[in-house]
Amino acid sequence: MQQAIDFLDESKALSTLLASLSEGDFETPTQFKGWTINNIIRHLHVWNIAVDLSLHDEAAFGAFVTAMMAGVRGGKLPAFEESYLDGLSGHALRNAWIERAEATAVAFAEADPKLRLKWVGPDMSALSSITARLMETWAHGQAVYDVLGVERQDTDRIGNIARLGVNTWGFTWKNRRTEPPGPMPKLCLFAPSGAVWEYGELSESGMISGNATEFCQVVTQCRNIADTALEVTGEVAHQWMEIAQCFAGPPQDPPAKGIRHRADRGV
């Protein structure tokens, strides 16, 4: 599956960004819930381990879920992940994470895309599972790029995330216990390569056009729509961009305007 290769490439890009950091830099708080860089890399590493277990050992994955559910009571997911990894941090964590990402990518590249795998919520196909890992790596990685004041140079592999945003149009509304107020708005997105990605049909729901990276930032809730240059027309399109959520779990609200941004490091 190409998505497995894209997942690994995104992981490697983030690992390269981290390579020059000091051990102390890994404790830098980010704009994502105050999570440190260590928190973010632990989170990615733990859930890469989990998806690998779901592919290779269903019983072990079940045991992981049981331990996780017991460990996160009270909303302490970072604390559980730190405990699960015995406090692994800094470059030792970075090395363990990227090594596991490489092994996971190889395994999923050879897997049947339609294979059904257990997950914390509903079962997912192997294709959906590795695409979700790509999305999480890219989305959580955004907080790291931002706090370090680096503008990420995206590639067309973010097309996987854009499609996930499109495919979760219905989920966004269902997750909030409501019906879509109309058909999905038409999308006209400009890829990093300059290609044009179009989805949906023009209707009374309106249209969203602009940079594909910014669309991906909105549907992953890395940015408030007001902090992008996306052109949004139509009431339904505006409503969607205010609540879009391409990741599983209970409804989450996007960051307030101005909260998530690239830091000015004075470099």
Side-chain angles (χ1 to χ4, degrees):
M1 288 184 283
Q2 179 63 40
Q3 287 78 4
I5 298 170
D6 292 341
F7 156 74
L8 181 56
D9 287 344
E10 195 63 52
S11 301
K12 286 181 174 179
L14 180 56
S15 179
T16 298
L17 177 69
L18 300 173
S20 63
L21 298 187
S22 70
E23 291 293 323
D25 288 337
F26 282 84
E27 280 300 303
T28 303
T30 72
Q31 297 164 14
F32 176 73
K33 300 181 179 180
W35 283 20
T36 66
I37 296 173
N38 268 328
N39 290 149
I40 287 173
I41 303 306
R42 285 191 197 110
H43 180 71
L44 295 177
H45 186 33
V46 166
W47 292 96
N48 288 348
I49 292 171
V51 81
D52 208 20
L53 291 175
S54 74
L55 180 64
H56 291 115
D57 191 335
E58 187 174 310
F61 174 74
F64 165 84
V65 172
T66 299
M68 184 272 296
M69 294 298 287
V72 300
R73 290 193 180 99
K76 300 177 181 178
L77 184 58
F80 162 75
E81 291 165 344
E82 182 175 4
S83 174
Y84 184 81
L85 295 175
D86 293 327
L88 196 62
S89 65
H91 285 288
L93 169 64
R94 168 179 165 258
N95 291 336
W97 158 65
I98 199 65
E99 287 175 9
R100 189 59 173 249
E102 289 173 351
T104 299
V106 169
F108 273 85
E110 298 173 351
D112 177 357
K114 296 181 181 179
L115 180 66
R116 302 303 297 178
L117 301 177
K118 295 293 184 182
W119 197 239
V120 178
D123 293 359
M124 292 197 292
S125 68
L127 174 59
S128 293
S129 294
I130 198 61
T131 300
R133 297 315 308 144
L134 165 62
M135 179 273 294
E136 282 243 329
T137 302
W138 185 88
H140 284 295
Q142 184 69 61
V144 180
Y145 281 90
D146 285 345
V147 75
L148 297 179
V150 176
E151 184 170 359
R152 178 166 45 194
Q153 300 302 307
D154 280 314
T155 73
D156 280 10
R157 62 176 171 262
I158 66 169
N160 295 291
I161 303 168
R163 287 188 293 274
L164 192 58
V166 170
N167 292 340
T168 52
W169 150 261
F171 165 77
T172 292
W173 304 99
K174 182 179 180 181
N175 202 31
R176 291 173 179 264
R177 301 181 184 279
T178 187
E179 293 295 323
M184 190 187 80
K186 181 177 176 60
L187 292 176
C188 182
L189 305 176
F190 301 97
S193 66
V196 178
W197 297 335
E198 293 186 298
Y199 304 93
E201 302 293 334
L202 195 59
S203 70
E204 67 275 10
S205 291
M207 183 172 180
I208 301 162
S209 62
N211 185 283
T213 289
E214 291 191 327
F215 175 77
C216 292
Q217 288 173 336
V218 171
V219 298
T220 56
Q221 296 189 352
C222 294
R223 291 286 189 275
N224 186 292
I225 183 62
D227 293 322
T228 75
L230 291 171
E231 295 184 12
V232 184
T233 59
E235 181 60 25
V236 174
H238 278 284
Q239 289 181 40
W240 182 28
M241 290 293 92
E242 289 172 357
I243 62 170
Q245 179 176 328
C246 75
F247 50 89
Q252 300 287 323
D253 292 327
K257 180 182 177 181
I259 294 298
R260 298 285 299 273
H261 57 86
R262 180 160 54 92
D264 182 2
R265 307 291 287 191
V267 177

